[in-house]
Amino acid sequence: MFSELLEQYRWPVIKQAIETKTRRDVEVALARTDRTLADFQALISPAAAPYLEEMARQSHHLTQQRFGKTMQLYAPLYLSNECQNICTYCAFSVDNKIRRRTLNDEEILREADALKAMGYQHVLLVTGEANQTVGVPYLKNAIRLLRSRFAHISMEVQPLEQAAYEELIPEGLHTVLVYQETYDRDSYKIHHPKGKKASYQYRVETPDRLGRAGIHKMGLGTLLGLSDWRTDSFFTALHLHYLERTYWQTRYSLSFPRLRPIDVLGAEGVTSRDFGNCLTDRELVQLICAYRLFSPEVELSLSTRESPTFRDHVIRLGITSISAGSKTNPGGYAVEPQSLEQFEISDERSPAEMAEVIRRAGYEPVWKDWDASLMTVYP
């Protein structure tokens, strides 16, 4: 179990190790082809900042070597904003007095039709964490409704038991994203004071349950800004390193969600809670390149949290999948566009506009994950 490996590491020790890396450490890491966790520490360290151009060059080369000049497009489909947790950074938090909404079958299909009309073949199902409302029976039904419409179905919902994943995979579930939010136990406790999500241990063991269940692909990540981003990123790399060797049949992806403003409903109406930037654009580029140099096989994903300018410039630097036209509220595409979103997006361009940007960069937009052809074909 990864939780057992995690016990061997201490946050302050890792943080200090990263901060004290030298230019020589960075140069050694850049000269290697099979990089270690210590090399990754050097590549995300302050000492690596002057080497960003070389990191970007190598990241670009490795990405084209493994993935070619392609960019996969996907979109989230929010099924529900009901949640039983308190999370200080999320608009779906149970203490935020917003109107709750869970899509029914007809509404799910209307949202799916809207996404299909945009060209999407890859959909990411998203809910809050409310087992009684959007538990396994609801998720199974949603997958059954959508599996004939999409080539690739991903899911970002509450962590489940291994048996639940084993029940959903044969229905057509291809990928599960489960972000630890932060590996810093103290910060995790502060930002998750109530609900099942308050259990750090249960959440951090979810990828092991997914691996044992035989999921085709899983996504990892931390919410950049809840704690020191460099240290959190090291622990994400440690987790990825463990999973790639333990569940080698599974594919992996990483995401880079920076904290974004959320809408909070209180006595005075709707107000915006802005967390500010947790790391600069230059530091995020450094992080993206560092992950690519550490793991040439991992898929790197960037959402509409980021600005159009930033997204346009990082297409060539290691990213392999990107969202466009995203709505982060249930029914946001066709059913109820004006309901409160989970977080504010920054890039509001349509999928067609984003596809054209990708083409102008010399890449081919890909709407379908062709690995789905290797899985069971459903009637």
Side-chain angles (χ1 to χ4, degrees), residues 76 78 92 304 326-330 333 340-345:
Y78 276 70
F92 292 175
T304 51
S326 301
K327 303 298 181 182
T328 64
N329 52 313
Y333 297 104
L340 289 181
E341 297 182 310
Q342 186 183 26
F343 57 86
E344 292 183 12
I345 66 171

Side-chain angles (χ1 to χ4, degrees), residues 110-125:
R110 283 177 62 191
E111 291 289 284
D113 289 342
L115 287 172
K116 289 287 288 185
M118 298 178 195
Y120 279 112
Q121 293 285 338
H122 178 177
V123 66
L124 168 64
L125 306 182

Side-chain angles (χ1 to χ4, degrees), residues 87-99:
C87 300
T88 63
Y89 49 82
C90 181
F92 292 175
S93 182
V94 69
D95 60 340
N96 191 11
K97 305 306 179 184
I98 62 172
R99 186 167 70 88

Side-chain angles (χ1 to χ4, degrees), residues 31 37 90 111 144 149 164 185 193 231 240 290 316 318 346 368 377:
L37 285 161
C90 181
E111 291 289 284
R144 286 179 172 176
R149 284 172 161 79
R185 291 180 183 271
T231 312
L240 174 67
R316 300 178 179 89
S346 184
K368 180 178 181 180
V377 177

Side-chain angles (χ1 to χ4, degrees), residues 176-297:
V176 173
L177 311 184
V178 54
Y179 305 140
Q180 184 59 27
E181 316 298 21
T182 178
Y183 289 87
D184 180 352
R185 291 180 183 271
D186 292 338
S187 179
Y188 189 95
K189 184 176 181 179
I190 291 169
H191 292 289
H192 306 98
K194 182 179 180 181
K196 192 169 184 178
K197 196 171 180 177
S199 173
Y200 178 101
Q201 192 80 3
Y202 187 77
R203 194 169 188 89
V204 84
E205 291 177 352
T206 304
D208 274 294
R209 296 194 296 275
L210 279 165
R212 291 194 299 267
I215 194 69
H216 187 73
K217 183 167 73 175
M218 70 175 87
L220 307 175
T222 55
L223 188 54
L224 299 171
L226 290 186
S227 194
D228 176 68
W229 69 266
R230 289 187 169 91
T231 312
D232 248 337
S233 298
F234 167 80
F235 280 102
T236 306
L238 176 69
H239 207 163
L240 174 67
H241 187 262
Y242 160 84
L243 291 167
E244 285 180 330
R245 283 151 181 76
T246 307
Y247 309 105
W248 53 268
Q249 302 97 328
T250 297
R251 288 167 52 193
Y252 297 93
S253 68
L254 294 175
S255 296
F256 307 89
R258 286 194 280 189
L259 281 170
R260 293 286 300 153
I262 63 171
D263 288 329
V264 178
L265 184 58
E268 299 178 356
V270 177
T271 59
S272 180
R273 182 183 298 166
D274 193 343
F275 298 92
N277 287 327
C278 51
L279 71 169
T280 67
D281 285 356
R282 186 176 177 85
E283 288 169 336
L284 183 52
V285 170
Q286 178 184 348
L287 181 59
I288 290 169
C289 294
Y291 275 125
R292 171 59 66 226
L293 270 57
F294 176 66
S295 180
E297 296 291 320

Side-chain angles (χ1 to χ4, degrees), residues 298-330:
V298 73
E299 299 176 23
L300 302 181
S301 179
L302 198 66
S303 76
T304 51
R305 288 174 181 261
E306 301 302 331
S307 72
T309 301
F310 182 84
R311 290 184 3 131
D312 291 357
H313 282 86
V314 300
I315 285 175
R316 300 178 179 89
L317 300 184
I319 297 298
T320 58
S321 66
I322 200 164
S323 58
S326 301
K327 303 298 181 182
T328 64
N329 52 313

